[in-house]
Amino acid sequence: MKQFISTILLGFSCLFSAAQPRSSHSGELQLAIRKLAVTGSVLYIAAHPDDENTRLLTWLANEKKMRTGYLSLTRGDGGQNLIGKEQGEALGLIRTQELLAARRTDGAEQFFTRANDFGFSKNPSETFSFWNHDSILADVVYTIRRFRPDVIICRFPTTGEGGHGHHTASALLALEAYAAAADPNMFPWQLASAPVWQCRRIFWNTFNFGGTNTTAPDQLKIETGNFNVFLGKSYGEIAAESRSMHKSQGFGTARQRGSVVEYFKLLKGDSAKTDLFDGIDQSWNRVKNSENVKAALSAVQTNYDAAHPEASLAALIKLRLALQALDASDPVAAYWQKVKLKETEQLLVNAAGLWVEVSASAPIVVPGDALSYSVQLVSRLSSDVTIKSVRFATGKDSSLSYKLKLNENLILRHTDIIAAKQPYSEPYWLTAPRSIGAYLFPGLALSGLAENDAAFTLELDLELFDQGIQLIRPIVFKSVDPVKGEVYRSLEVLPALTITPDAKVYVFAKGEIKKINVLVKANQSKLSGLIKATVGSSFRLLKSEQSYSLTNRNDEQLLSFEVEAVDEKGQGDLKFSAEVNGSLCKDAIRRINYDHIPAQFFLEPSVAELRVLNVLHKKVKVAYIPGAGDDVAESLKQVGFDVTLISDENLKTADLHIYQAIITGVRAFNTSDKLFLQKAKLEEYMKSGGNLIVQYNTNSRVGPLQAGIGPYPFTISRERVTDEQASVSFLNPTHPVLNEPNKIEKADFEGWVQERGIYFAVECDTHYQKILSMHDPGEAEQSGSLIIAPVGKGNFIYTGLSLFRQLPAGVPGSYRLFANLISLRQNKQ
């Protein structure tokens, strides 16, 4: 065993997830054996995480036993977030991991294109003005060529009934890619790694939801409500568990049991009357010279014993040999040989009850440092497993020839030295600047992959029934939480030091001096030196350097830099850096931690954007009732408002009359029923002179609004204005909200991000005054983005304006308008 204890340079990677590992039970093994007999594949295509039909994916993967994939064009960056404050790239990371959690549940595989979800789009023309059509089409074609589906299924139609421009665009691209994937003149640079492929047909999976019914009696109908005896659940139950992983979108779903029919409309390809796969041979008959595979597979299926899966090991070895003997020069044989060898080798590991885990001693490693880890091996069902060697990244083998005893818990410990130029393990699509419409993919090798490769892996050569098996395992970090139990996370390669400002944007008044806090965190021990700051000419640093001293790994130190705004309308960047061991550290780290997905992080430049704003307001007290999550309260504090966070729970006992305004966070009424219980108290607060400002809510499946929010009736619609540059008209230009204390002008609506607003008010009672009007190109005017009704001495305000996006982005006009909402004067009675 001493040969294993050595020091070697390590620096390569392979695709693995840091999700909690699990063993398969006998029913799952039997289902996997039956799946070996199926040589069919199907690809589902839509625009976003949560667009996929999880029931159909579950049925395809487990009833039809097909290789099943979901291609989501985007990672959902531009959506809403019901569980936290994350927006943009951070939200895209969450939704990516929610998709992967869903796929682990329903058995399908997950792919993406480079398209960025830039926000709601009303038509495909607008979508393609942000997405480069040819680039995204190339990504879809590459996925088809690599995955080789017999059938493609679209979630949405090409004719717009999907209601979102991204949805329609996904169907248009799928239909184009169906033909382009088979054309060698389309994207020929792909052909070396992904030859042309012609699917047999492409369908639209029609639907009946959201008030739109696109199903018809003459469409192909498939029963998908079956019960799977191997899994002990119906596909409606598994599908609900899968869909409920989309927690950031509020898509928790009840389990369905009993008959459920899916409908399909053929878009292109040969006809299908009774089944999606009519006329498509999904057996091994489609693979030339596969008689030995069929015979070996028959023996595995016939002799499987659920009580003793290890008894199938010898037969699985013979099947593996038959698969290896297939003629790999034939494209069909080569494809299914690769797919089925992977499935067979996983079955061998599971049937032997083999547990192999590689766990690092710490969650973070810095390039050039030592990485210590342990390898745990347990053969729980078979006594015929021998560890022949361990292969490291350099290609050097460490021979062992150690035969595992039955149920022996073997622990091997090892240390490697990490290469000094080892890349940081940040999400690959976030390593380079992106456009509004697309991420930059670093080459075909990563194109479409759901997540990063593991930073480090270990290869073990095993011998099972005299046959060599190679296992590749990621090096992860495992800890034990006293509440959650075992928790797994990816091993992270990070800079020696991260320097993270506590906000991405800071706003100033002219002449104001602010303290900018940065959190300095050590990923190595014994670090000390200077954090240096630089700033643009519109600002002045009172001190450009601060010393830090961190003794232990994971130590943190909070430093403050004082910055003065010297120009009236200046803006600039405040940049931080530190020299550590001859290298320049200039990265901030943003972490994402939720129980339903593995821990995530991304690096970004250690830069804070500074802006000087001309915002007039009194320094009054404001109460903020958080909703689904936003940064509005923190933004209002930056311009001098005295903001107190009040939970909906303690709202009933709080003295509200000390506040000039009470603001509810985005979707607060969707996420809390208790707010409705305090409606009388809030109305009394308004009558006595207070302003209640309600930011957008949805009239959707998330906490449906059973009672009215306002003192008078109005309806929350799905109307919105997605063009962030849309012209804004003032319907009531003399209203105080447009004049006091800030004179709101057209210029205040310049520089907005992503959209003007969402979920506007309609069907408003006559007590409400409509303040603004706006519209997207080619559409009618929308007048429900901001409505105000006097209530006694005070006011009720509902706004669908996306101020929750504009304030953290430092948009000057959003601060001026919000200050006016808070400062709205009392009514005379």
Side-chain angles (χ1 to χ4, degrees), residues 39 56 364 386 407 626 655 681:
T39 59
L56 181 59
I364 295 168
T386 299
N407 221 27
D655 179 10
K681 183 173 183 177

Side-chain angles (χ1 to χ4, degrees), residues 87 505 507 609 611 613 630-632 635-636 666 695 721-725 748-758 799-818:
Q87 297 179 26
V505 178
V507 295
E609 184 179 349
R611 291 195 175 186
L613 306 183
D630 58 65
D631 286 314
V632 171
S635 299
L636 293 175
V666 299
Q695 297 182 86
V721 173
T722 62
D723 183 356
E724 63 269 32
Q725 301 179 38
D748 288 302
F749 292 92
E750 295 175 359
W752 282 45
V753 298
Q754 185 159 322
E755 62 207 0
R756 286 293 189 205
I758 51 180
T799 180
L801 293 170
S802 293
L803 298 170
F804 73 100
R805 294 194 193 278
Q806 313 313 317
L807 293 176
V811 177
S814 66
Y815 281 90
R816 289 161 50 81
L817 179 57
F818 219 123

Side-chain angles (χ1 to χ4, degrees), residues 437-503:
Y439 289 109
L440 181 63
F441 271 6
L444 277 178
L446 295 175
S447 179
L449 294 185
E451 61 178 345
N452 268 45
D453 296 350
F456 307 106
T457 60
L458 202 70
E459 294 184 28
L460 294 104
D461 289 325
L462 308 178
E463 191 173 85
L464 190 62
F465 284 82
D466 297 322
Q467 293 295 316
I469 302 289
Q470 185 182 84
L471 293 184
I472 303 176
R473 288 292 184 266
I475 302 177
V476 298
F477 177 72
K478 180 177 73 173
S479 60
V480 180
D481 183 275
V483 175
K484 302 173 186 176
E486 284 188 336
V487 178
Y488 288 78
R489 57 186 282 188
S490 296
L491 178 64
E492 300 171 358
V493 184
L494 294 179
L497 197 74
T498 55
I499 312 163
T500 307
D502 61 3

Side-chain angles (χ1 to χ4, degrees), residues 600-726:
Q600 301 293 300
F601 79 93
F602 63 99
L603 298 173
E604 59 184 5
S606 184
V607 176
E609 184 179 349
L610 311 181
R611 291 195 175 186
V612 181
L613 306 183
N614 179 22
V615 180
L616 302 176
H617 67 87
K618 296 179 181 179
K619 292 187 177 181
V620 295
K621 289 182 175 292
V622 175
Y624 200 87
I625 303 172
D630 58 65
D631 286 314
V632 171
E634 289 80 359
S635 299
L636 293 175
K637 289 178 183 178
Q638 283 205 42
V639 291
F641 285 106
D642 182 359
V643 183
T644 300
L645 295 181
I646 297 180
S647 70
D648 54 3
E649 179 63 31
N650 60 29
L651 176 63
K652 57 186 176 185
T653 59
D655 179 10
L656 303 183
H657 296 94
I658 64 174
Y659 301 112
Q660 169 76 15
I662 297 172
I663 307 168
T664 64
V666 299
R667 294 173 101 168
F669 284 87
N670 290 133
T671 56
S672 174
D673 294 332
K674 294 178 181 178
L675 273 178
F676 291 103
L677 301 178
Q678 302 306 316
K679 186 176 179 181
K681 183 173 183 177
L682 291 171
E683 288 197 12
E684 190 277 328
Y685 162 78
M686 288 184 284
K687 288 177 180 178
S688 62
N691 294 323
L692 176 61
I693 303 169
V694 176
Q695 297 182 86
Y696 92 92
N697 285 263
T698 66
N699 230 336
S700 71
R701 63 179 69 84
V702 185
L705 306 182
Q706 301 296 332
I709 292 176
Y712 310 107
F714 72 93
T715 299
I716 296 175
S717 73
R718 294 188 63 84
E719 299 295 341
R720 62 183 74 203
V721 173
T722 62
D723 183 356
E724 63 269 32
Q725 301 179 38

